Amino acid sequence: MLAQAIRMTKEPGQNKQEFDIVPGERAIELQEHEILVETRQASICDADLRYASGMAWPNDLPPFDWPGHEGGGIVAEVGSKVRKVKPGDRVMLFGLDGCWATHFKSPERNIFLAPDGLSDTAAYLGEPVAVGMYGVFASGVQLGDDVAVAGLNFQGLIAVQGLKAKGARRVIAIDYSEKHLQMAKDLGADVVLNTTKTDAISEVRELTRGVGVDVSYHSCGYWNPRAEEYFNISLEVARDEGIVASVTDIMSPITANLHRAHHHALDVRFPAIMHHGPHFREQWVQRVLRPVVDGTVRIEPLVTAKFPLKEAAKGMDIFKNDEDQVKVLLTV
């Protein structure tokens, strides 16, 4: 079959950094271990924006020529060896299988059933939701902890909610956008700090009487030029023997104060549910989505814009140029 799909491409001979984002057609031929999904919703990831902008791309990652790894829909057809799902099931995509399209195919290992009780919006954001939620589960937060969240992107705003629900006594939200900070406050943050207006490190030290927070959660990377600044904020605000959990991908080398991490015995960890093997995800995906199903963590307030699939280029432009955006959806 032919699916209507979005492609990132450059015309031969074009001498420019950015990719064009254009509609086209993609041939799909289902193999025995694959699943055909009729897309209902996709979304834009920071990695999509980085790739389309022509920024340096890690050599261990595939190209994003046919973008879309956040999305899902309804199973239309399954290959002869598929046992995990059946036609009519509502499913979530966990893999770069080109879901910016009316239909996409995916190997069985990249498809997960959407939990009962999860809204369509949250279900088809299952992959980025699971990334943020696994970061919460693996953060090491204990009852009564002081925590800081440095970077209020989609995962950061999930963390504000999840860390508070996990037992944090005080959540300090750190960002550069007043809109993000207000969202964090509305979602349960106790203190908000704008790094364009104040010295967040000094403020956190004063709030904690010079001790620092028990856990700092870093969530600023991909295309964001503040990735280095916010990673170092996370290091500096953590107490001696505290935890730094960095959930976002920093896709270019940065300069980090590793003396701080070593000399003060910090536990620096990189929770990354998507970069373990498929058996690991089978164990964790449904589990980390439970707090979303029961309403403990809210996803719908984090959606800041929606565009039809054919206007994907417009959605990318808004996401790139409006720093107040959090999650931009593409509807099919």
Side-chain angles (χ1 to χ4, degrees):
M1 68 166 292
L2 288 177
Q4 301 301 308
I6 301 296
R7 188 171 191 177
M8 294 188 190
T9 186
K10 292 181 183 179
E11 293 297 327
Q14 276 188 320
N15 184 22
K16 67 174 188 175
Q17 184 178 12
E18 298 86 2
F19 284 76
D20 294 319
I21 302 167
V22 296
E25 291 184 333
R26 188 178 189 186
I28 298 177
E29 183 176 347
L30 202 64
Q31 303 299 314
E32 60 186 11
H33 63 284
E34 293 177 330
I35 298 163
L36 178 67
V37 179
E38 179 184 343
T39 312
R40 294 295 173 85
Q41 175 187 289
S43 52
I44 298 173
C45 173
D46 296 62
D48 299 318
L49 182 56
R50 182 183 180 93
Y51 186 81
S53 298
M55 298 172 70
W57 194 246
N59 60 16
D60 60 346
L61 292 179
F64 277 32
D65 297 340
W66 295 99
H69 61 278
E70 299 179 359
I74 305 301
V75 175
E77 185 179 345
V78 299
S80 61
K81 292 189 176 180
V82 170
R83 299 292 180 267
K84 190 174 182 178
V85 298
K86 64 185 185 303
D89 284 342
R90 188 176 65 141
V91 295
M92 311 176 292
L93 174 63
F94 281 67
L96 180 57
D97 293 321
C99 66
W100 289 14
T102 55
H103 296 77
F104 66 91
K105 71 171 185 175
S106 182
E108 190 172 18
R109 67 179 180 274
N110 289 350
I111 294 293
F112 289 82
L113 280 167
D116 292 339
L118 198 61
S119 71
D120 284 347
T121 297
Y124 302 143
L125 283 166
E127 190 256 29
V129 172
V131 169
M133 287 302 301
Y134 180 71
V136 169
F137 274 65
S139 66
V141 166
Q142 302 293 323
L143 285 169
D145 278 353
D146 280 340
V147 305
V149 179
L152 301 177
N153 59 8
F154 187 71
Q155 279 80 26
L157 287 165
I158 286 174
V160 166
Q161 303 173 72
L163 296 173
K164 190 71 176 178
K166 202 169 186 287
R169 178 178 75 99
R170 180 166 50 178
V171 173
I172 303 167
I174 302 169
D175 201 73
Y176 49 85
S177 161
E178 281 296 329
K179 182 173 180 179
H180 294 177
L181 291 164
Q182 184 59 54
M183 292 172 73
K185 192 171 183 179
D186 293 342
L187 292 168
D190 300 286
V191 179
V192 295
L193 300 174
N194 189 325
T195 54
T196 70
K197 299 178 179 179
T198 191
D199 182 338
I201 295 171
S202 296
E203 291 282 351
V204 172
R205 287 175 177 165
E206 183 175 346
L207 285 165
T208 59
R209 299 184 179 182
V211 174
V213 296
D214 302 289
V215 176
S216 62
Y217 187 105
H218 168 253
S219 191
C220 181
Y222 296 101
W223 63 272
N224 199 306
R226 299 173 180 84
E228 180 176 300
E229 174 192 0
Y230 276 56
F231 186 80
N232 280 297
I233 287 172
S234 300
L235 290 174
E236 295 295 336
V237 301
R239 65 166 172 82
D240 291 359
E241 300 178 342
I243 297 171
V244 177
S246 181
V247 74
T248 193
D249 197 347
I250 303 175
M251 304 177 84
S252 292
I254 65 170
T255 298
N257 184 7
L258 297 183
H259 168 75
R260 167 74 185 162
H262 174 83
H263 197 68
H264 296 266
L266 300 183
D267 176 354
V268 182
R269 54 184 68 173
F270 295 90
I273 192 172
M274 287 303 297
H275 305 299
H276 291 270
H279 297 297
F280 184 90
R281 290 193 294 276
E282 288 287 349
Q283 293 174 0
W284 277 100
V285 164
Q286 301 293 335
R287 181 179 175 188
V288 300
L289 292 178
R290 289 176 194 163
V292 183
V293 173
D294 67 20
T296 302
V297 174
R298 298 164 59 204
I299 301 304
E300 280 78 1
L302 310 186
V303 174
T304 48
K306 297 180 182 180
F307 294 91
L309 178 66
K310 63 183 179 181
E311 295 182 15
K314 184 176 180 181
M316 287 281 281
D317 187 62
I318 293 239
F319 192 34
K320 179 178 180 179
N321 294 303
D322 180 1
E323 289 190 330
D324 289 339
Q325 294 296 329
V326 177
K327 183 56 70 177
V328 178
L329 302 187
L330 301 175
T331 57
V332 183

